[in-house]
């Protein structure tokens, strides 16, 4: 079964509004969570890395003020796309690393969120 | 500069035959490698991994081979099944690293 739950799976919002995406680790404590973005027919592009209780580390070119990441607990991280524009339309995926009893060398992915900004 | 490369964007294989997906990397600090499978509009699913201390890891129909000197790894699927049709991503991480670096993916189509 799923070990990382991402919600919502699909969202359509108006330009200028904000959208929050949640990522939960279901049966383990995720010390580190990652947020990726995938454009059509392209690979996963890391946006930011977040550790519980500390500020996220953003990749070069990713606007911190636009993509707000909060990792308030060991099981929940959120990505808020602020003042969304049509060019923010994409597939956003979270992943979590933590100890599930087999060591923490795997990353488990959420189901992804398809964001469409109209 | 791509640190993880998957030079074949797509691959078609007949059902029952072997599928071989290739991955090359440039960063010699990478020492742990993973393969993920992804269906459209879904998150990637972990398939199999290999540590740099090994040259082969097998799990059912999936086998990953690692050639450190060539900085090359491959995923073998045998026998291939139509349900294996998906995009396969190779990923790598250095010892103690947090993030995985993903390749661009290879779209596998298994034809019935």
């Amino acid at each position: 079964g799923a070990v990382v739950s991402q919600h919502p799976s699909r969202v359509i919002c108006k330009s200028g509004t904000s959208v929050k995406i949640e990522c939960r680790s279901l049966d383990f404590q995720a010390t580190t969570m990652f947020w990726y973005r995938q454009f059509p027919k392209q690979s996963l592009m890391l946006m930011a890395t977040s550790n519980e209780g500390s500020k996220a580390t953003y990749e070069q070119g990713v606007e911190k003020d636009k993509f707000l990441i909060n990792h308030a607990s060991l099981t929940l991280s959120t990505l808020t796309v602020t003042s969304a524009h049509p060019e923010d339309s994409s597939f956003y995926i979270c992943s979590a690393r933590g100890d599930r009893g087999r060591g923490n060398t795997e990353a488990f992915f959420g189901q992804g969120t398809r964001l469409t900004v109209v | 500069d791509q640190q993880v490369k998957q030079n074949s964007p797509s691959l078609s294989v007949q059902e029952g035959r072997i599928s071989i997906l290739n991955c090359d990397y440039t960063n010699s600090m990478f020492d742990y490698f993973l393969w993920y499978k992804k269906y459209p509009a879904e998150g990637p699913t972990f398939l199999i991994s290999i540590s740099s201390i090994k040259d082969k890891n097998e799990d059912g129909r999936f086998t990953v081979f690692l050639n450190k000197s060539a900085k090359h790894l491959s995923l073998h699927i045998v026998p291939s099944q139509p349900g294996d049709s998906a995009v396969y991503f190779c990923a790598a991480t250095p010892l103690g690293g947090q993030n995985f670096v993903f390749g661009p993916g290879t779209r596998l189509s298994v034809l019935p």
Side-chain angles (χ1 to χ4, degrees):
Chain A
V3 298
V4 175
S5 175
Q6 186 174 340
H7 177 80
S9 59
R10 185 181 294 268
V11 59
I12 300 173
C13 71
K14 289 186 176 181
S15 187
T17 60
S18 295
V19 173
K20 180 185 282 188
I21 303 170
E22 291 189 349
C23 182
R24 294 180 185 272
S25 57
L26 299 182
D27 64 352
F28 67 102
Q29 294 184 326
T31 50
T32 307
M33 285 192 173
F34 307 92
W35 288 94
Y36 294 87
R37 181 172 179 177
Q38 186 183 28
F39 292 100
K41 299 184 180 179
Q42 292 189 30
S43 187
L44 305 171
M45 301 302 296
L46 179 67
M47 297 173 66
T49 302
S50 72
N51 292 295
E52 185 265 339
S54 60
K55 288 186 178 180
T57 302
Y58 289 80
E59 295 300 299
Q60 193 172 17
V62 178
E63 298 177 59
K64 301 178 184 181
D65 295 331
K66 180 162 193 62
F67 299 100
L68 301 178
I69 291 171
N70 184 285
H71 192 163
S73 76
L74 285 170
T75 59
L76 174 64
S77 176
T78 60
L79 167 68
T80 302
V81 183
T82 63
S83 187
H85 290 282
E87 57 264 31
D88 298 325
S89 299
S90 191
F91 192 60
Y92 293 86
I93 307 171
C94 72
S95 80
R97 289 185 80 170
D99 188 355
R100 288 188 74 229
R102 295 189 290 173
N104 65 346
T105 50
E106 289 178 32
F108 299 91
F109 287 83
Q111 304 94 319
T113 297
R114 169 70 62 193
L115 171 63
T116 303
V117 184
V118 298
Chain B
D1 179 36
Q2 262 190 342
Q3 297 186 68
V4 178
K5 303 176 185 180
Q6 293 176 257
N7 292 322
S8 297
S10 63
L11 174 69
S12 292
V13 172
Q14 208 69 37
E15 180 179 5
R17 298 290 187 100
I18 184 171
S19 295
I20 301 177
L21 298 109
N22 293 303
C23 177
D24 297 285
Y25 61 96
T26 59
N27 189 339
S28 57
M29 298 299 290
F30 289 148
D31 76 333
Y32 191 73
F33 306 89
L34 310 93
W35 284 93
Y36 285 86
K37 174 182 178 180
K38 185 181 182 299
Y39 294 114
E42 292 185 15
T45 303
F46 170 76
L47 270 179
I48 193 168
S49 64
I50 189 166
S51 154
S52 62
I53 62 174
K54 293 186 173 182
D55 55 18
K56 177 183 174 181
N57 189 25
E58 190 173 353
D59 184 1
R61 297 186 296 116
F62 303 93
T63 303
V64 56
F65 295 92
L66 175 62
N67 182 333
K68 280 189 65 179
S69 60
K71 293 191 177 68
H72 175 84
L73 62 154
S74 60
L75 173 68
H76 293 212
I77 306 173
V78 57
S80 301
Q81 300 173 354
D84 296 330
S85 298
V87 177
Y88 289 78
F89 290 100
C90 168
T93 186
L95 179 66
Q98 290 189 321
N99 179 40
F100 296 101
V101 179
F102 284 86
T106 296
R107 181 176 299 279
L108 173 66
S109 299
V110 180
L111 310 172

